[in-house]
Amino acid sequence: YEEQMHDYPELGDEAFILLSMAQAQFGKESEDIAAMVLDGMQTRTGQKSRGVDQAGFYVLMGASMPAILVEGGFISNAKEERLVRSREYQEKVAESIVDAIEQFVRKY
């Protein structure tokens, strides 16, 4: 799924297949916890939702468990950069993640 495959020589066809299989096995659970994190972040920060997407990210390779990436903001956006640098905003994002993990554990 990475755009520059030549940057990841160890991500050959076999590894890609294994990655896809591992992520597919926990797709529903990953989507659930991602939605829980997103809901908490929206509630706590008031930021607009960009939704939950699925993709095969190299950083998640080998994760044989529910796995997500959280985007707290984009430093390419001046307003979001200020938020991301703010200790208060960082704590809100972190609390959202912790609450979602606790909610996820109760559910599963």
Side-chain angles (χ1 to χ4, degrees):
Y1 294 21
E2 298 289 340
E3 291 180 19
Q4 302 297 327
M5 290 299 291
H6 61 273
D7 290 342
Y8 306 97
E10 68 278 11
L11 190 58
D13 292 339
E14 298 86 7
F16 179 79
I17 291 167
L18 292 172
L19 168 64
S20 298
M21 289 172 59
Q23 288 184 335
Q25 183 177 359
F26 296 101
K28 172 71 172 109
E29 293 88 349
S30 296
E31 195 171 312
D32 281 353
I33 194 167
M36 293 171 191
V37 170
L38 182 61
D39 288 346
M41 285 178 61
Q42 278 188 275
T43 300
R44 279 195 166 83
T45 68
Q47 291 293 98
K48 181 181 174 195
S49 169
R50 293 179 43 90
V52 172
D53 293 323
Q54 290 188 358
F57 292 106
Y58 181 78
V59 70
L60 298 178
M61 185 175 178
S64 297
M65 64 191 79
I68 64 171
L69 294 176
V70 177
E71 294 176 335
F74 299 94
I75 61 172
S76 57
N77 177 303
K79 179 183 175 192
E80 289 185 12
E81 180 185 9
R82 283 190 299 278
L83 284 173
V84 171
R85 290 176 180 264
S86 156
R87 178 96 174 154
E88 180 183 354
Y89 184 80
Q90 293 170 11
E91 287 177 5
K92 288 177 182 181
V93 171
E95 289 167 358
S96 300
I97 295 168
V98 169
D99 287 350
I101 292 169
E102 290 173 345
Q103 183 181 354
F104 180 84
V105 169
R106 285 192 301 272
K107 181 176 181 178
Y108 289 95

